[in-house]
Amino acid sequence: VSDLFRGAVSGGAPLFAVIAPVRRNGEIVQLLSFSLEVERLRRLLVDAELPPGWTASIVDRSGTILARRARHEELAGTRATPDLLAATTGREGVWEGTTADGQPVLGAYARSAVSGWRVAVGVSLAELSRPLRQSLAVLAGLVL
């Protein structure tokens, strides 16, 4: 599985390629190769139907954003945030940082063993702390 590249035949559209070996009797006899637009990946993120205030992105091995749930057209092909790249070096985990559009988030990620790509999902810190703030407001109202 490749990193993001711009297709010459497709007019510079952002693409990724998948190459799979065809084996016969344990020997590779052919390679199947195809290229897909990263828009297909964006549709997967949109179809996931995450709650409002959540963001999701797919980042290739080199740290380039392949697809993003929001602002995909603007951010696909740009570099992921330094904090995401620094904190997502393992197989899976969590991190606290900012999204590509500057929103503070608490995020979780998983890395593909096949491609090395990362799928990251972030929840804005404001969204996470909203129930706590609401509970504190109710409690403060009761105390007063």
Side-chain angles (χ1 to χ4, degrees), residues 55-144:
T55 187
S57 60
I58 301 172
V59 178
D60 69 16
R61 281 183 301 272
S62 69
T64 301
I65 298 171
L66 289 159
R68 198 160 184 280
R69 184 170 176 240
R71 296 177 59 200
H72 169 80
E73 294 79 15
E74 179 184 343
L75 295 170
T78 64
R79 190 112 173 109
T81 60
D83 59 73
L84 182 130
L85 295 175
T88 60
T89 58
R91 180 97 166 109
E92 61 183 36
V94 296
W95 92 101
E96 188 174 332
T98 57
T99 63
D101 37 12
Q103 297 299 314
V105 293
L106 179 62
Y109 76 94
R111 180 187 295 269
S112 167
V114 174
S115 66
W117 291 2
R118 289 161 271 205
V119 176
V121 176
V123 182
S124 75
L125 293 179
E127 189 70 28
L128 279 175
S129 64
R130 184 183 333 252
L132 176 61
R133 287 193 317 267
Q134 289 171 341
S135 296
L136 287 174
V138 169
L139 183 60
L142 290 173
V143 169
L144 290 174

Side-chain angles (χ1 to χ4, degrees), residues 32-51:
L32 298 177
S33 174
F34 57 94
S35 298
L36 297 167
E37 291 190 14
V38 296
E39 173 62 24
R40 289 177 177 256
L41 297 173
R42 186 199 65 83
R43 280 186 262 158
L44 291 173
L45 296 177
V46 170
D47 290 347
E49 297 182 9
L50 296 173

Side-chain angles (χ1 to χ4, degrees), residues 15-26:
L15 306 170
F16 67 97
V18 177
I19 300 170
V22 176
R23 297 179 190 267
R24 268 197 208 119
N25 301 322

